[in-house]
Amino acid sequence: MNPVTIRRTPIAAAKLAAAAGALAVLSAFPGHLRAATATYNASFVLVDPVAGTVEIDGFGRVISSGAAATGFAALAAAREPFFDTWQIDTSAIPAGPYEFTALTVEAAGSLQFTSVTFNSIDEAGVRNTILFDLNALGTVAVGSGSFTVRASCPIESCVWIDIAGSQLAGTAGEGYGGTFSAVLVPEPASALLLAGGLAWLAGVARRRQRPAQPAG
Protein backbone atom coordinates (compact mmCIF):
# COMPACT_ATOMS: atom_id res chain seq x y z
CA MET A 1 0.00 0.00 0.00
CA ASN A 2 1.05 3.57 -0.53
CA PRO A 3 1.84 5.73 2.51
CA VAL A 4 -1.13 7.49 4.07
CA THR A 5 -1.51 11.03 2.76
CA ILE A 6 -2.25 13.73 5.32
CA ARG A 7 -3.22 17.21 4.14
CA ARG A 8 -3.40 20.23 6.42
CA THR A 9 -5.79 23.02 5.51
CA PRO A 10 -6.74 26.16 7.53
CA ILE A 11 -10.21 25.93 9.03
CA ALA A 12 -11.45 28.84 6.88
CA ALA A 13 -10.86 26.74 3.76
CA ALA A 14 -12.49 23.53 5.04
CA LYS A 15 -15.79 24.03 3.21
CA LEU A 16 -14.01 25.02 0.01
CA ALA A 17 -11.93 21.85 0.20
CA ALA A 18 -15.07 19.76 0.64
CA ALA A 19 -16.64 21.42 -2.39
CA ALA A 20 -13.50 20.73 -4.40
CA GLY A 21 -13.79 17.07 -3.43
CA ALA A 22 -17.32 16.93 -4.80
CA LEU A 23 -16.18 18.53 -8.06
CA ALA A 24 -13.42 15.94 -8.32
CA VAL A 25 -16.07 13.22 -8.19
CA LEU A 26 -17.98 14.87 -11.03
CA SER A 27 -14.86 15.14 -13.16
CA ALA A 28 -14.43 11.37 -12.93
CA PHE A 29 -17.80 10.95 -14.66
CA PRO A 30 -17.81 13.42 -17.59
CA GLY A 31 -21.04 12.01 -18.99
CA HIS A 32 -23.02 13.14 -15.96
CA LEU A 33 -23.73 16.67 -14.80
CA ARG A 34 -24.82 15.95 -11.25
CA ALA A 35 -23.64 13.69 -8.44
CA ALA A 36 -25.96 12.44 -5.73
CA THR A 37 -24.78 14.18 -2.56
CA ALA A 38 -25.94 13.30 0.93
CA THR A 39 -25.06 14.07 4.53
CA TYR A 40 -25.41 11.48 7.29
CA ASN A 41 -24.86 11.50 11.04
CA ALA A 42 -22.99 9.01 13.22
CA SER A 43 -21.38 9.28 16.63
CA PHE A 44 -18.31 8.18 18.54
CA VAL A 45 -19.04 6.10 21.64
CA LEU A 46 -16.64 5.16 24.43
CA VAL A 47 -16.33 1.34 24.56
CA ASP A 48 -13.36 1.01 26.97
CA PRO A 49 -12.81 3.92 29.38
CA VAL A 50 -9.61 2.41 30.78
CA ALA A 51 -7.89 1.94 27.42
CA GLY A 52 -9.54 5.01 25.90
CA THR A 53 -11.01 3.00 23.01
CA VAL A 54 -13.82 4.58 21.00
CA GLU A 55 -15.94 3.36 18.09
CA ILE A 56 -18.21 5.03 15.53
CA ASP A 57 -21.85 4.03 15.94
CA GLY A 58 -24.33 4.32 13.06
CA PHE A 59 -21.90 4.35 10.13
CA GLY A 60 -22.78 2.70 6.80
CA ARG A 61 -25.64 2.62 4.31
CA VAL A 62 -27.32 0.02 2.11
CA ILE A 63 -30.30 -0.50 -0.22
CA SER A 64 -32.00 -3.60 1.13
CA SER A 65 -34.71 -3.95 -1.52
CA GLY A 66 -35.09 -1.67 -4.61
CA ALA A 67 -36.39 1.20 -2.47
CA ALA A 68 -34.32 3.50 -0.33
CA ALA A 69 -33.68 2.38 3.23
CA THR A 70 -33.91 4.72 6.22
CA GLY A 71 -31.19 7.36 6.13
CA PHE A 72 -30.19 6.61 2.55
CA ALA A 73 -30.60 9.02 -0.37
CA ALA A 74 -31.51 6.94 -3.45
CA LEU A 75 -29.35 7.50 -6.50
CA ALA A 76 -30.66 8.05 -10.03
CA ALA A 77 -31.05 5.20 -12.54
CA ALA A 78 -28.00 3.58 -14.16
CA ARG A 79 -24.48 4.09 -12.83
CA GLU A 80 -24.18 7.45 -11.08
CA PRO A 81 -21.53 9.15 -8.98
CA PHE A 82 -22.20 9.96 -5.34
CA PHE A 83 -20.53 12.04 -2.64
CA ASP A 84 -21.44 11.20 0.96
CA THR A 85 -20.40 13.15 4.04
CA TRP A 86 -20.63 11.55 7.48
CA GLN A 87 -20.67 14.07 10.31
CA ILE A 88 -19.35 12.39 13.46
CA ASP A 89 -20.63 13.54 16.86
CA THR A 90 -17.77 13.47 19.41
CA SER A 91 -19.63 14.85 22.43
CA ALA A 92 -19.71 11.47 24.22
CA ILE A 93 -15.92 10.87 24.21
CA PRO A 94 -12.99 12.68 25.86
CA ALA A 95 -11.24 15.45 23.96
CA GLY A 96 -7.66 14.82 22.88
CA PRO A 97 -5.53 13.10 20.25
CA TYR A 98 -6.56 9.69 18.90
CA GLU A 99 -4.92 7.08 16.67
CA PHE A 100 -6.39 4.35 14.47
CA THR A 101 -4.82 1.55 12.45
CA ALA A 102 -6.07 -0.22 9.32
CA LEU A 103 -9.64 1.03 9.46
CA THR A 104 -11.53 -0.65 6.63
CA VAL A 105 -14.59 0.39 4.61
CA GLU A 106 -16.02 -2.28 2.30
CA ALA A 107 -18.43 -1.84 -0.59
CA ALA A 108 -21.32 -4.17 -1.44
CA GLY A 109 -22.91 -4.93 -4.79
CA SER A 110 -21.84 -2.72 -7.69
CA LEU A 111 -20.61 0.16 -5.51
CA GLN A 112 -17.04 1.34 -6.13
CA PHE A 113 -15.06 3.99 -4.27
CA THR A 114 -13.06 6.75 -5.93
CA SER A 115 -11.91 8.25 -2.62
CA VAL A 116 -12.42 7.80 1.12
CA THR A 117 -11.06 10.39 3.55
CA PHE A 118 -11.17 10.82 7.33
CA ASN A 119 -11.12 14.51 8.25
CA SER A 120 -10.72 16.47 11.47
CA ILE A 121 -9.99 19.99 12.68
CA ASP A 122 -7.58 20.29 15.59
CA GLU A 123 -7.44 22.84 18.42
CA ALA A 124 -5.29 25.16 16.29
CA GLY A 125 -8.02 25.27 13.62
CA VAL A 126 -6.06 23.16 11.14
CA ARG A 127 -7.85 20.59 9.01
CA ASN A 128 -6.18 17.16 8.81
CA THR A 129 -7.23 14.82 5.99
CA ILE A 130 -6.25 11.15 5.90
CA LEU A 131 -6.61 9.59 2.45
CA PHE A 132 -7.44 5.89 2.54
CA ASP A 133 -5.80 3.39 0.17
CA LEU A 134 -8.13 1.65 -2.31
CA ASN A 135 -7.80 -1.84 -3.74
CA ALA A 136 -7.63 -2.35 -7.52
CA LEU A 137 -11.42 -2.80 -7.83
CA GLY A 138 -12.24 0.23 -5.68
CA THR A 139 -14.30 -1.94 -3.34
CA VAL A 140 -12.14 -1.80 -0.19
CA ALA A 141 -10.64 1.30 1.45
CA VAL A 142 -8.07 1.04 4.27
CA GLY A 143 -6.53 3.88 6.26
CA SER A 144 -4.40 4.58 9.32
CA GLY A 145 -3.54 7.83 11.07
CA SER A 146 -4.36 10.21 13.88
CA PHE A 147 -6.89 12.93 14.59
CA THR A 148 -7.90 15.33 17.34
CA VAL A 149 -11.22 15.62 19.15
CA ARG A 150 -11.71 19.22 20.22
CA ALA A 151 -13.24 20.25 23.53
CA SER A 152 -15.69 22.36 21.48
CA CYS A 153 -16.29 22.73 17.76
CA PRO A 154 -16.93 26.15 16.15
CA ILE A 155 -18.57 24.64 13.04
CA GLU A 156 -21.20 21.97 12.41
CA SER A 157 -18.77 19.07 12.74
CA CYS A 158 -15.03 18.93 13.44
CA VAL A 159 -14.71 15.22 12.61
CA TRP A 160 -16.19 13.84 9.41
CA ILE A 161 -15.75 11.18 6.71
CA ASP A 162 -16.09 11.89 2.97
CA ILE A 163 -16.85 8.95 0.68
CA ALA A 164 -16.98 9.36 -3.10
CA GLY A 165 -17.69 6.77 -5.75
CA SER A 166 -20.37 5.36 -8.03
CA GLN A 167 -22.94 2.58 -8.02
CA LEU A 168 -25.95 1.16 -9.83
CA ALA A 169 -29.21 2.41 -8.34
CA GLY A 170 -32.15 0.43 -7.05
CA THR A 171 -30.32 -2.89 -6.64
CA ALA A 172 -30.64 -4.90 -3.42
CA GLY A 173 -27.46 -5.08 -1.38
CA GLU A 174 -25.84 -1.91 -2.72
CA GLY A 175 -23.97 0.19 -0.17
CA TYR A 176 -20.96 0.16 2.15
CA GLY A 177 -20.02 -0.23 5.78
CA GLY A 178 -17.18 -0.73 8.20
CA THR A 179 -16.13 -0.70 11.84
CA PHE A 180 -14.22 2.36 13.02
CA SER A 181 -12.31 2.19 16.29
CA ALA A 182 -9.60 4.48 17.67
CA VAL A 183 -7.57 4.82 20.86
CA LEU A 184 -6.95 7.95 22.93
CA VAL A 185 -3.24 8.83 22.98
CA PRO A 186 -2.06 9.73 26.52
CA GLU A 187 -0.77 13.25 26.98
CA PRO A 188 3.04 13.44 27.55
CA ALA A 189 2.62 14.27 31.24
CA SER A 190 0.23 11.36 31.74
CA ALA A 191 2.55 9.01 29.87
CA LEU A 192 5.50 10.02 32.08
CA LEU A 193 3.41 9.56 35.21
CA LEU A 194 2.33 6.11 34.03
CA ALA A 195 5.91 5.14 33.18
CA GLY A 196 7.09 6.33 36.60
CA GLY A 197 4.38 4.33 38.33
CA LEU A 198 5.29 1.18 36.39
CA ALA A 199 8.98 1.64 37.24
CA TRP A 200 8.13 2.01 40.93
CA LEU A 201 6.01 -1.16 40.86
CA ALA A 202 8.85 -3.03 39.12
CA GLY A 203 11.28 -1.89 41.84
CA VAL A 204 8.94 -3.05 44.59
CA ALA A 205 8.60 -6.44 42.91
CA ARG A 206 12.39 -6.85 42.66
CA ARG A 207 12.91 -6.01 46.33
CA ARG A 208 10.30 -8.58 47.34
CA GLN A 209 12.08 -11.24 45.29
CA ARG A 210 15.49 -10.74 46.97
CA PRO A 211 16.38 -13.58 49.41
CA ALA A 212 16.58 -12.64 53.07
CA GLN A 213 20.14 -12.07 54.35
CA PRO A 214 21.29 -14.61 57.05
CA ALA A 215 21.65 -13.18 60.54
CA GLY A 216 25.32 -12.24 61.39
Side-chain angles (χ1 to χ4, degrees), residues 26-43:
L26 288 174
S27 66
F29 298 88
H32 301 274
L33 298 178
R34 181 178 300 174
T37 61
T39 300
Y40 304 97
N41 295 300
S43 58

Side-chain angles (χ1 to χ4, degrees), residues 8-32:
R8 294 180 177 270
T9 307
I11 189 172
K15 291 185 178 180
L16 291 177
L23 290 175
V25 175
L26 288 174
S27 66
F29 298 88
H32 301 274

Side-chain angles (χ1 to χ4, degrees), residues 1-104:
M1 291 185 179
N2 296 325
V4 171
T5 300
I6 300 179
R7 297 197 303 272
R8 294 180 177 270
T9 307
I11 189 172
K15 291 185 178 180
L16 291 177
L23 290 175
V25 175
L26 288 174
S27 66
F29 298 88
H32 301 274
L33 298 178
R34 181 178 300 174
T37 61
T39 300
Y40 304 97
N41 295 300
S43 58
F44 266 121
V45 294
L46 187 61
V47 295
D48 188 339
V50 176
T53 304
V54 300
E55 290 184 354
I56 293 181
D57 180 48
F59 172 79
R61 66 170 175 81
V62 66
I63 304 176
S64 56
S65 58
T70 302
F72 173 73
L75 303 178
R79 192 166 194 89
E80 296 288 341
F82 68 86
F83 188 87
D84 293 346
T85 295
W86 287 85
Q87 297 179 343
I88 312 301
D89 179 11
T90 60
S91 60
I93 64 173
Y98 287 80
E99 290 184 344
F100 60 87
T101 302
L103 295 186
T104 302

Side-chain angles (χ1 to χ4, degrees), residues 1 29 79 82 105-116 133-142 164-167 175:
M1 291 185 179
F29 298 88
R79 192 166 194 89
F82 68 86
V105 184
E106 297 186 58
S110 69
L111 189 144
Q112 293 177 308
F113 302 122
T114 55
S115 73
V116 175
D133 291 313
L134 303 179
N135 67 350
L137 297 177
T139 55
V140 179
V142 181
S166 68
Q167 71 178 71

